[in-house]
Amino acid sequence: MARILTLSGSPSPVSRTARLLTVAARQLETRGHHVTALEVRRLPAEVLTGSDVAHPAVLEVADLLQHADGVVVGTPVYKAAYSGLLKCLLDLLPQYALAGRTVLPLATGGSPAHVLAVDYALRPVLTSMGAAHVTQGWFVLDRDILTAQDGTTELSPAAATALEGVVTGFADALPTPVG
């Protein structure tokens, strides 16, 4: 099946965005896809704030993208835009780092006022980086990302249904692996 990279742009170690990506990854793995997770916050700060596009950490991320069939990009919304941390990484990657990739944009935030950030802030940058197809994205309210009794992440029923729909659309849009 397809190789998927999840990319969390949250700076928080207790990130709802990363938790949402974990739920999406489980849904994709259930469909037989191989998922690799990357949290941008784990990259060295000096790499993200520098301009060394040839730094090994940047080259490693570019390599992960090159070998992925699809990418799920998750970000918290701050001031009606995707995170600055995600922006720092995207600025260091090659202009067409997403060329030929199917991309699912996901965002989290505390207010429905930020729902348009997916289409008006995140989608344009993903498209400008050459994504072959940016599927229907989704915005999830922080309050809809819950912790189950066993400590795993679950979503409110409405958020779970919506995420299942966009993950299905993403999975259906992935290229069929050859071989």
Side-chain angles (χ1 to χ4, degrees):
M1 293 308 263
R3 294 163 301 192
I4 311 298
L5 177 66
T6 64
L7 186 61
S8 173
S10 175
S12 173
V14 291
S15 168
R16 286 183 187 90
T17 301
R19 291 172 57 202
L20 176 65
L21 287 171
T22 299
V23 174
R26 281 195 315 249
Q27 292 178 2
L28 290 163
E29 288 168 343
T30 302
R31 291 173 168 82
H33 300 297
H34 178 266
V35 180
T36 301
L38 174 68
E39 292 184 39
V40 179
R41 71 177 190 83
R42 296 192 182 275
L43 297 173
E46 64 274 7
V47 170
L48 294 170
T49 58
S51 59
D52 184 3
V53 297
H55 188 281
V58 175
L59 295 175
E60 183 179 346
V61 174
D63 187 61
L64 286 170
L65 287 167
Q66 184 175 3
H67 288 92
D69 300 303
V71 183
V72 182
V73 178
T75 182
V77 176
Y78 300 120
K79 296 184 171 79
Y82 55 93
S83 75
L85 184 67
L86 181 60
K87 174 76 168 137
C88 287
L89 176 63
L90 296 178
D91 285 349
L92 291 170
L93 292 171
Q95 177 63 49
Y96 296 106
L98 297 174
R101 306 299 170 268
T102 300
V103 181
L104 168 59
L106 298 174
T108 61
S111 165
H114 297 300
V115 71
L116 294 177
V118 173
D119 287 328
Y120 291 104
L122 190 53
R123 181 178 299 278
V125 74
L126 299 173
T127 301
S128 77
M129 294 181 73
H133 183 50
V134 181
T135 64
Q136 175 66 47
W138 197 251
F139 176 87
V140 180
L141 288 167
D142 290 344
R143 68 176 176 248
D144 289 329
I145 302 169
L146 312 167
T147 302
Q149 291 285 353
D150 64 1
T152 60
T153 299
E154 62 182 30
L155 303 177
S156 70
T161 299
L163 182 66
E164 179 70 31
V166 296
V167 167
T168 296
F170 170 74
D172 289 348
L174 289 167
T176 304
V178 178

